[in-house]
Amino acid sequence: MTAPGEAARRKPARRPTIKDIARRARVSESAVSFALNDRPGVSQDTRARVRQVAEELGWQANSAARALSGERAGCTGLVLARPAQTLGVESFFLQLVSGIQEVLSARKIALLFQVVEDLDAECALYRRWWAERRVDGVLVVDPRTDDPRPELLASLGLPAVAIGGLAAPDQAVPTDRQTPEPTATAHPLLSTVWADDSKAMAQALDHLYGLGHRRIVHVAGMPGLAHTERRIRSLRAEAGQRGLDARQVRSVTTDYSDAEGAEATRRILDAAEPPTAIIYDNDVMAVAGASVAAGRGIPVPGGLSIVAWDDSALCRVTHPRLTALARDTPGFGRLAAQELLAVLDGGPLRTVQGELPHLEARESTGAPTGLTDP
């Protein structure tokens, strides 16, 4: 025997249709279509009555049908090709997405977010979204040094904005101590919103060098990411200008997770000449590194100074509080979303520079033990 209300729970509610609106408003279905799509052919009174009835019935346009008819889908996409375990504790992407969503929601545009295993899966997803007319455009994160996505998206005709510096295809990656900036002109295939990682790294090294540190290790993020490579090159170049060589200042790459951040810290501290300071590419790894130091009885900052990239609540509640490179990450997301909307509205491709991260000096950095004249 069916319990009262069980059948109703099993059967989904029927969505209102244009026919329902026409019946309630006592007009033709074509008049409803004209009114809801802002097309001429109906009076202002009829248009207002149709819209009022549509609102009362809870009617919403079918995005798939709109896309098939050549109208916008009302949705943009963002794909993240990173290990899923690195996302649960890292605040950067949550803050970035919050800024993106703030701009899109004001235009009643949805954000379709998906995590995939690798770059090949990301490219395959773009092809599927394009074939299904699922999204009007995409936000591309984690630009690579040799990135296939701009060419793919251009071939599909899918509007896109890259979040992060993305050099033009004809820009060679230098091998000397020069630290290149992303192209100052529009990328030929898509718009770019970027922040100056090179100058931010210079700030961190300036701070530590001024305190007297001469052995510094950079625990970087994933190899092959454009911003990872820029930070590594900037560190090398800035160290060289101060007379420090690769034995004194170096970088090691990780997957951004706390586990790899901790493991990298253990290897670094086990070296014959361990560093007196470590720069971590995110807050999660910095906190994990501080925990490793505490477990070994190494005082922070007396025995080891720590700098985190991208300030967060983690940096501010850890004891001692962590010196960090800070920026308005939601604002960076808002800037990217605004640029994508500008492209969708017919604007030109261009490169837009975001806020330069600035160093927030806190208790985790100080002069190395025994140094009397920094």
Side-chain angles (χ1 to χ4, degrees):
M1 181 175 179
T2 303
E6 184 176 342
R9 287 196 299 271
R10 290 178 178 175
K11 184 178 180 180
R14 189 177 69 86
R15 294 183 179 89
T17 65
I18 286 180
K19 183 179 293 186
D20 297 326
I21 298 172
R23 185 182 302 112
R24 175 79 67 89
R26 296 181 181 178
V27 297
S28 67
E29 292 180 30
S30 60
V32 172
S33 179
F34 290 155
L36 294 177
N37 291 290
D38 281 328
R39 294 173 181 168
V42 294
S43 68
Q44 289 300 323
D45 288 343
T46 299
R47 193 184 307 276
R49 187 166 75 256
V50 167
R51 289 182 174 177
Q52 181 179 350
V53 169
E55 184 175 352
E56 291 171 355
L57 293 176
W59 179 86
Q60 293 291 333
N62 185 312
S63 60
R66 289 172 58 187
L68 287 171
S69 67
E71 298 182 49
R72 288 187 180 179
C75 182
T76 60
L78 192 158
V79 185
L80 190 59
R82 280 197 186 186
Q85 69 269 20
T86 67
L87 302 180
V89 291
E90 188 176 10
S91 64
F92 173 81
F93 278 105
L94 288 176
Q95 294 182 54
L96 184 75
V97 169
S98 73
I100 292 170
Q101 188 61 42
E102 182 180 338
V103 171
L104 296 181
S105 61
R107 289 271 297 266
K108 297 183 179 179
I109 296 173
L111 179 65
L112 181 57
F113 177 73
Q114 191 159 339
V115 179
V116 296
E117 294 181 358
D118 52 33
L119 199 58
D120 288 341
E122 180 176 346
C123 290
L125 186 58
Y126 290 144
R127 293 187 186 95
R128 180 160 64 84
W129 281 354
W130 170 79
E132 296 174 352
R133 296 177 174 86
R134 184 71 63 85
V135 297
D136 299 314
V138 295
L139 292 161
V140 178
V141 296
D142 287 342
R144 268 63 171 180
T145 52
D146 185 15
D147 204 316
R149 293 173 295 177
E151 185 173 350
L152 168 65
L153 293 167
S155 69
L156 296 175
L158 190 59
V161 170
I163 302 177
L166 183 63
D170 59 352
Q171 287 186 301
V173 177
T175 56
D176 58 17
R177 288 180 175 177
Q178 296 295 322
T179 308
E181 305 299 338
T183 176
T185 57
H187 190 281
L189 299 178
L190 78 175
S191 286
T192 302
V193 174
W194 67 286
D196 198 333
D197 295 288
S198 299
K199 289 183 180 177
M201 178 60 83
Q203 288 184 55
L205 189 62
D206 271 340
H207 176 66
L208 294 172
Y209 188 86
L211 290 171
H213 295 276
R214 300 297 182 265
R215 297 196 309 275
I216 302 167
V217 173
H218 167 216
V219 178
M222 295 167 61
L225 297 185
H227 68 266
T228 299
E229 300 304 325
R230 278 196 302 275
R231 294 176 187 182
I232 291 173
R233 288 199 300 267
S234 176
L235 181 72
R236 186 184 306 127
E238 295 293 333
Q241 291 174 12
R242 292 162 178 77
L244 304 177
D245 60 29
R247 293 172 300 175
Q248 296 168 290
V249 178
R250 61 191 178 92
S251 300
V252 296
T253 57
T254 67
D255 68 355
Y256 284 110
S257 70
D258 56 335
E260 286 207 11
E263 180 56 32
T265 304
R266 294 185 191 98
R267 293 196 308 270
I268 290 165
L269 295 179
D270 284 340
E273 288 188 303
T276 59
I278 301 178
I279 302 170
Y280 293 88
D281 257 6
N282 71 4
D283 54 344
V284 173
M285 293 195 298
V287 171
S291 178
V292 170
R296 295 189 174 201
I298 300 173
V300 175
L304 180 69
S305 283
I306 291 176
V307 176
W309 206 293
D310 282 329
D311 192 18
S312 73
L314 277 178
C315 298
R316 296 188 291 272
V317 301
T318 300
H319 180 74
R321 297 185 306 154
L322 301 184
T323 294
L325 286 158
R327 63 175 167 184
D328 179 9
T329 303
F332 197 47
R334 289 192 294 271
L335 183 63
Q338 289 163 356
E339 188 61 24
L340 180 58
L341 292 181
V343 171
L344 292 175
D345 290 339
L349 301 182
R350 60 180 187 162
T351 293
V352 181
Q353 185 173 358
E355 173 193 7
L356 175 68
H358 63 278
L359 191 81
E360 288 283 349
R362 299 192 181 104
E363 295 87 353
S364 69
T365 51
T369 301
L371 187 66
T372 58
D373 185 14

